[in-house]
Amino acid sequence: MELKHVSELVGAGKDIESAYWELVVKDIQDTCKLLEPIYNETDGEDGHVSLAVSPKLANDTKGTIEAAKWLHNMVGSPCVYMKIPATDESISSMKEVISLGISVNATLIFCLPKYEAVIDAYLDGLESCGMTDLSKVSSAAAFYISRVDVTLDKKLEQIGTAEALDLKGKGAVAQAVLAYQLYQKKFSGPRWERLENRGAKKQRLMWASTNVKNPSYPDTFYVNSVIGPDTISTFLVQALQAFMDHGILSRTLDAKVSEAQDMYNAIEKLGIDWSSVGSELEHEVLDSFTKSFDNVLECMQKKAMSIYSFQKHV
């Protein structure tokens, strides 16, 4: 972002958040132009750019809908995704946004029940969409991995039994494997086939938080463990470099499904509630997103006013 531009916007009477969105929309438009050739070459399968609605709207269904509509209209590109967090209130907004023909990146998914609700919102939205051809509407569902293990491992350590400690570092991948099974189930059968006949695309699973947070785990552990068709993996630069150097490119996501189910059940039998873990992480990460958003606005305000004040005295 150009701080001089920020100061000009503020000097022209815009409030700092309006200035922020004007700059963000311009950045997203520029990025969309770079990726539109990929979007066109792949018939909309790839080449998407995500633009997050304000995290402050996470618990405001109507506000999220209006923000998504406004931002989508402002960017004006077919390859933009509206990034919406999977809170209960925002999942309700996803159906409406999808029904309007707006593509969505559903983020902050930490547990299977929430993931299923996200899929249902996508399917409901497609079914409610008045467009005859649904091929231009798509979605991704960002399912978090390593953050889940951080929380689970702490709970397993608190339990402290040999069985509990043996399950450390296994829960997040087990849940991801089951998420992929759910994906395959929901995007098959008569209901999906009716939508597919209208040109609908499957909502792709997108693995988020694939970087290893526990240094005792191999640095490619999560990336290696969730490789499978129709999925997207997000990487930090360090994780990508590690995988390029010594990662194993092999279909692992559905290689040990029954084992994953056993691990998932074993964690549950120890008294750990998966939905509660998901809710805990959702609030934690959403709070960090909101603080980051506020910090950016505060920094922009200080810098813009400093530059504007300096220019007035030159």
Side-chain angles (χ1 to χ4, degrees):
M1 293 183 182
E2 298 178 11
L3 292 175
K4 182 179 180 182
H5 190 186
V6 175
S7 68
E8 290 171 351
L9 291 171
V10 173
K14 286 187 178 290
D15 64 272
I16 201 66
E17 188 163 346
S18 296
Y20 166 84
W21 287 115
E22 186 165 327
L23 292 172
V24 166
V25 165
K26 179 61 168 62
D27 282 348
I28 296 296
Q29 286 175 328
D30 291 344
T31 308
C32 284
K33 287 177 184 176
L34 290 174
L35 293 180
E36 272 182 15
I38 296 174
Y39 177 87
N40 292 330
E41 288 167 12
T42 62
D43 194 27
E45 289 291 340
D46 296 309
H48 298 99
V49 184
S50 289
L51 172 53
V53 300
S54 169
K56 294 183 177 183
L57 297 172
N59 299 315
D60 180 350
T61 301
K62 185 177 179 181
T64 295
I65 293 169
E66 293 306 314
K69 288 164 58 178
W70 180 75
L71 288 169
H72 182 264
N73 183 61
M74 290 295 291
V75 174
S77 170
C79 60
V80 69
Y81 269 162
M82 290 298 103
K83 190 174 183 179
I84 299 175
T87 61
D88 291 340
E89 294 83 0
S90 288
I91 286 176
S92 297
S93 72
M94 289 178 194
K95 173 186 173 181
E96 178 68 19
V97 172
I98 290 292
S99 74
L100 296 171
I102 298 172
S103 297
V104 168
N105 171 0
T107 190
L108 296 188
I109 304 170
F110 299 98
C111 64
L112 294 176
K114 191 58 69 83
Y115 175 46
E116 185 165 16
V118 166
I119 296 175
D120 287 339
Y122 179 59
L123 296 176
D124 290 344
L126 290 175
E127 288 170 339
S128 301
C129 185
M131 299 164 60
T132 303
D133 179 11
L134 296 174
S135 63
K136 299 303 180 184
V137 189
S138 63
S139 183
F143 204 106
Y144 282 59
I145 304 178
S146 64
R147 282 184 180 272
V148 174
D149 263 348
V150 170
T151 298
L152 283 177
D153 284 359
K154 288 178 182 177
K155 294 182 183 297
L156 292 168
E157 287 172 358
Q158 288 170 356
I159 294 170
T161 63
E163 181 187 6
L165 296 177
D166 186 55
L167 288 165
K168 285 182 59 182
K170 298 177 180 178
V173 170
Q175 183 177 229
V177 168
L178 298 182
Y180 189 61
Q181 293 299 300
L182 181 59
Y183 159 84
Q184 291 180 313
K185 176 184 175 183
K186 300 287 280 191
F187 290 100
S188 63
R191 183 186 187 190
W192 172 246
E193 288 167 4
R194 284 193 293 271
L195 289 168
E196 196 170 35
N197 288 335
R198 293 172 61 191
K201 290 182 169 68
K202 294 177 181 178
Q203 181 186 59
R204 293 168 74 183
L205 253 174
M206 179 163 64
W207 307 121
S209 186
T210 59
N211 56 308
V212 174
K213 292 180 167 54
N214 187 329
S216 68
Y217 300 160
D219 57 1
T220 60
F221 173 58
Y222 293 112
V223 176
N224 283 347
S225 301
V226 292
I227 300 174
D230 300 330
T231 62
I232 304 165
S233 285
T234 62
F235 296 84
L236 290 178
V237 173
Q238 302 94 312
L240 178 59
Q241 290 172 338
F243 184 78
M244 294 293 288
D245 180 63
H246 52 270
I248 300 171
L249 185 58
S250 176
R251 179 167 173 167
T252 53
L253 192 49
D254 51 5
K256 298 179 180 179
V257 177
S258 60
E259 184 179 310
Q261 186 68 66
D262 289 343
M263 289 179 185
Y264 185 90
N265 293 342
I267 289 171
E268 201 165 45
K269 286 177 182 177
L270 288 171
I272 297 174
D273 182 76
W274 285 93
S275 291
S276 294
V277 169
S279 180
E280 181 181 329
L281 282 164
E282 179 185 303
H283 287 105
E284 176 187 315
V285 179
L286 184 58
D287 183 58
S288 71
F289 282 8
T290 304
K291 287 178 180 177
S292 295
F293 183 77
D294 287 338
N295 287 340
V296 168
L297 295 183
E298 183 180 351
C299 180
M300 285 177 61
Q301 182 76 58
K302 289 179 179 177
K303 294 291 185 181
M305 295 312 295
S306 174
I307 294 172
Y308 182 59
S309 176
F310 173 78
Q311 290 173 338
K312 284 179 64 178
H313 292 90
V314 172

